[in-house]
Amino acid sequence: MKIVIILVVLLAMIGGGGFAAWTFFPDMVKPMLGIYPEGVVNIDPLIMPIFEDGTVRRFLVLELSFEVYQPNGGLIVQSQLPRLQNAFLTYILSLQANGLNDKLTDLRFLKDRLMRVTTDVVGPGVVHDILLKNVFERPVS
């Protein structure tokens, strides 16, 4: 009976230690598990037209970064950047064509959809997250 109690206590300590390591030292634990924090890929701001009544009334400006957790993930994103920008522009224009201009300012919706477009372009598991640093509309001057 004493051996069972000792084993249960040891397993609880190992589990608690693993949880604490994952929580407080993720930069040390993730590489041990094969998850490599590659870093953040910053790109130039994307400027996309917003049409109203067939003419450009304002521009949507997106400043974003990609968080990658795969070896060579940054290189993959950089090499696919023209395709990503084209896919983003196509998606934003399709939202406008469907009359969903109000969804362009809903950051949660926009981030979720841009993440799906990114996964379609670069493949699954390359980009972990998209950071929307600045999203605003600029009127045509």
Side-chain angles (χ1 to χ4, degrees):
M1 184 68 171
K2 290 180 183 180
I3 294 175
V4 173
I5 293 173
I6 292 172
L7 288 175
V8 169
V9 170
L10 283 175
L11 287 175
M13 290 177 63
I14 291 172
F19 176 75
W22 181 264
T23 304
F24 298 113
F25 305 108
D27 294 334
M28 293 174 58
V29 175
K30 287 182 180 180
M32 286 187 240
L33 298 174
I35 303 171
Y36 299 100
E38 183 74 20
V40 175
V41 178
N42 295 313
I43 64 169
D44 293 333
L46 301 173
I47 302 173
M48 302 175 195
I50 297 178
F51 292 95
E52 291 177 2
D53 301 325
T55 60
V56 177
R57 297 291 181 193
R58 52 192 197 276
F59 293 99
L60 176 69
V61 179
L62 293 173
E63 293 180 21
L64 51 94
S65 297
F66 298 101
E67 186 176 293
V68 293
Y69 274 102
Q70 185 181 23
N72 300 324
L75 295 174
I76 294 170
V77 170
Q78 288 291 342
S79 68
Q80 296 296 320
L81 199 54
R83 291 184 66 218
L84 271 172
Q85 292 171 338
N86 184 38
F88 288 168
L89 179 61
T90 302
Y91 184 75
I92 297 295
L93 291 175
S94 71
L95 283 178
Q96 293 178 37
N98 291 326
L100 298 173
N101 279 343
D102 59 331
K103 292 290 188 181
L104 296 176
T105 55
D106 183 1
L107 296 182
R108 214 176 273 187
F109 175 83
L110 190 62
K111 182 178 178 177
D112 179 53
R113 299 306 173 148
L114 292 180
M115 187 65 194
R116 289 182 186 181
V117 170
T118 303
T119 302
D120 290 342
V121 172
V122 298
V126 176
V127 174
H128 177 13
D129 197 13
I130 295 178
L131 173 64
L132 296 174
K133 295 188 287 190
N134 203 357
V135 178
F136 61 94
E137 292 180 0
R138 186 182 71 189
V140 174
S141 52

